Amino acid sequence: MISDRPAVQVRDPFVASLVEQLDAVLLDAEALTDSLNREQINWQPGPGRWSIAQCLDHLTRTVLLYPAEIERMLGESRARSGAGERPYREGWLSRRIVAGLEPPPRMRVRTIRPVDPPELHDGQAVVREFNAAHRRLRELIVAADGVSLRHARMRSPFLRLVRFTLGQVLAMILAHARRHLWQARQVRQHAAFPQSSSPVPTAQHLH
């Protein structure tokens, strides 16, 4: 449950906002998958359209692309942070990029192969892996408190010609999560979504 996650005290208001956003993502995923059975979590609203399980699996695969690079950036940022480091604020371009990732999506984007989800999933496994990946991301976000979020950069796994700061990367990951959780919610609210009189829990015992 969300209450099982330790409360954290962070100084940087931007990092505090990221922690709040991450916790909201975990709560939203928990609500979306609560009491779904295997048929429901794998149901697709049409050819080429993702199921709830595929949305979560895609998010897990995407988050797992980042920890090593985030840890590298944290190390570089610690070395470069000064005592007078100013609180991080998103620039105009960063806000535009993050806004473009927020739901509802304005255009469909083809995913790269490493994060393209298979069709069928075990419901408990996909939720468990989603939670584990995002709990690790939460730890990395908390570790970013007090270090420079603007100096270290990494190349995007999706846009290899573009380099983003640590603050930009963290903000984009969370916007991307909201995008696909919104997509998953549209699946659950679909008029043809299968109903079940004998639901099998997928999330409530996985925390």
Side-chain angles (χ1 to χ4, degrees):
M1 300 294 292
I2 191 73
S3 58
D4 296 334
R5 299 178 187 98
V8 295
Q9 296 294 329
V10 296
R11 294 169 293 171
D12 189 310
F14 182 77
V15 174
S17 172
L18 294 177
V19 173
E20 291 177 359
Q21 292 174 51
L22 191 282
D23 286 345
V25 162
L26 288 166
L27 274 173
D28 197 16
E30 184 175 321
L32 276 168
T33 57
D34 183 50
S35 299
L36 295 185
N37 62 28
R38 182 180 178 86
E39 177 192 7
Q40 290 170 317
I41 202 166
N42 285 291
W43 183 81
Q44 296 174 257
R49 298 178 66 184
W50 284 355
S51 65
I52 294 172
Q54 285 177 299
C55 291
L56 267 64
D57 182 73
H58 168 69
L59 290 176
T60 299
R61 291 168 182 265
T62 301
V63 166
L64 292 177
L65 294 175
Y66 289 95
E69 279 295 292
I70 292 175
E71 288 177 342
R72 178 192 63 77
M73 287 192 288
L74 284 171
E76 183 178 336
S77 296
R78 290 188 188 101
R80 300 185 64 170
S81 292
E85 178 71 18
R86 292 170 295 161
Y88 180 78
R89 293 181 180 177
E90 286 280 77
W92 175 82
L93 179 59
S94 296
R95 290 196 299 269
R96 288 292 300 272
I97 294 172
V98 171
L101 290 171
E102 296 283 2
R106 294 156 183 79
M107 61 180 294
R108 296 184 66 181
V109 179
R110 184 74 176 92
T111 61
I112 62 175
R113 188 174 297 276
V115 298
D116 203 6
E119 285 195 5
L120 295 177
H121 294 80
D122 175 85
Q124 292 188 357
V126 75
V127 175
R128 181 171 59 248
E129 291 161 5
F130 176 91
N131 285 339
H134 286 79
R135 283 196 297 266
R136 176 58 181 145
L137 177 62
R138 189 180 193 271
E139 293 172 353
L140 293 170
I141 291 173
V142 173
D145 187 39
V147 305
S148 173
L149 300 177
R150 57 171 54 87
H151 289 115
R153 295 175 180 269
M154 67 169 284
R155 293 191 184 280
S156 167
F158 306 97
L159 302 169
R160 299 301 296 172
L161 297 179
V162 183
R163 286 161 54 86
F164 294 107
T165 67
L166 178 56
Q168 291 169 336
V169 167
L170 295 174
M172 288 189 295
I173 291 172
L174 293 171
H176 179 250
R178 288 189 289 272
R179 178 189 185 99
H180 287 289
L181 289 177
W182 179 91
Q183 179 184 0
R185 188 166 294 283
Q186 304 316 298
V187 175
R188 185 156 184 175
Q189 294 175 348
H190 195 284
F193 186 74
Q195 303 301 312
S196 173
S197 58
S198 302
V200 177
T202 60
Q204 61 188 6
H205 301 305
L206 299 180
H207 300 276

